[in-house]
Amino acid sequence: MSVSPSGSAASKGSLEGSNAQRGLWSSRLAFILAATGSAVGLGNIWKFPYVTGENGGGAFVLVYLLCIAIIGIPIMMAEVMIGRRGGRSPVNSIKAIARRDGLNPAWKLVGAVGILAGFLILSFYSVIGGWAISYVGTTASGQLSGQTADAVGAIFSGLLSSPGTLLLWHTVFMALVMLVVAKGVRSGLERAVSILMPALFVLLLIVVGYAMTTGHFGQAAAFLFQPDFSQLTTSGILVALGHAFFTLSLGMAVMMAYGSYLPKNISIAKTSVTVSVIDTGVALLAGLAIFPIVFANGLEPGAGPGLIFQTLPLAFGQMPMGSLFGTLFFVLLIFAAWTSGISLLEPIVEWLEEQKGMNRTVSTLGAGGVCWALGITSILSLNLWADFAPLGFIPMLEGKTIFDLLDFFTANILLPLGGLLVAVMAGWVMSKQAMEKELALSPGMFNLWFVTVRFITPIAVGVVFIYNLA
Ligand code: PHE
């Protein structure tokens, strides 16, 4: 995957050049920016609050944090390591490692799972990206100022009940993603990430500041951080696990692709921890911004995917300079979603280029076009097909629309499965010596990581799967 074709070539070159120090720093930063751009997105600001609300708060958050720490970070390290050792696009990296370490080439299936997952995720991700675009206009027009929760809810329902409007914004979002992928230019975006991500962080802090004035901040903090295990279900644990993969962009070979650009002497562990901490920080801030507003207005924490669109507009309608902050906030949210969307489409486009010999523009138009068309099923799930649950005869999938199914199948099944394959590959089949060299950890830390990917991750993912299927 061409994360930053020109930038990475330059930084790889500079390792051998005289200005090695500067080259190293900018490469580590470039990797962190690309990886953070992929990781921080709708998953943090849209999905984390609503799945937390649906799954009862604190206990769910605790399981999610545990999944990040003991499954997410080790898997991210494994993906980055495989990418760097292979030095190519995911499928070819795995092939190269397979040749060198004598593995079965069928391991390239990991790349295939990733391509499929990215394609399916982008189809509905783009629809939600479209909601964010539509809210730029809603906030900028000032129609939110001083509104009640009911009025804000009605604006949101109005959006959902209009397939035409949803289609328009879905198309705009998809076009934005396709534009960047078709051009194959990432360097400008990475520079933008370094400004816009901190800006998003600051705006979230401003909303948290407002949320503190609602008088319900303590209740929200307790909801998020005081685990009540009676609220935790087995399906909640699956959602927490799936969300850990989704939010860190794992199980999809994205980090593998990005890792192939990481210079050899940069610590994979430190960089992975940095990206994971930033990602988790953004999600927790989003939770602290949204739940005080939920409680102060007597809203339902389990309101579902519309949660942030029913709460944040209330805050922007009430705080000083709310229209300005609100507009800025949604613009930054679009940007965060955009950089993630690019990393969802890139793997399939690259695969079409490499394996099918198609040129970049044609493969982007083809893959993006099919993805866009699939997105229409998610749009219809919000209105005309809202009662259509194609797999409703399976108890676990009862009442799930196509949109719900796509989300469920990708985040909770495909990504953990992709992660499981990565863990098994690193823990059981790759050359241990080569991995020791690649990770360059102290023996104690290496063993901790090794035991985790060899035993803990596969067992944890396996147990959660089996419990949920049973
Ligand atoms: N991590 C992104 C988010 O939280 C979504 C994503 C998942 C992007 C998987 C790439 C791969 O919004």
Side-chain angles (χ1 to χ4, degrees), residues 38-39 41-44 125 246-247 249 252 254 340 343-344:
S38 171
L42 295 170
N44 307 64
Y125 201 86
F246 185 88
T247 191
S249 302
M252 233 200 76
V254 168
S340 302
S343 72
L344 287 162

Side-chain angles (χ1 to χ4, degrees), residues 230-297:
S230 68
Q231 297 284 323
L232 193 64
T233 58
T234 39
S235 79
I237 296 175
L238 179 65
V239 174
L241 174 75
H243 186 62
F245 280 97
F246 185 88
T247 191
L248 293 178
S249 302
L250 296 178
M252 233 200 76
V254 168
M255 294 300 165
M256 219 180 268
Y258 287 9
S260 66
Y261 290 100
L262 195 65
K264 287 284 179 196
N265 48 351
I266 286 176
S267 162
I268 290 177
K270 271 192 226 156
T271 4
S272 303
V273 170
T274 307
V275 173
S276 306
V277 167
I278 296 175
D279 187 81
T280 309
V282 173
L284 295 178
L285 264 189
L288 285 174
I290 283 156
F291 284 105
I293 306 170
V294 170
F295 295 125
N297 292 279

Side-chain angles (χ1 to χ4, degrees), residues 117-129:
F119 178 76
L120 296 177
I121 292 174
L122 183 57
S123 76
F124 68 84
Y125 201 86
S126 168
V127 174
I128 313 296

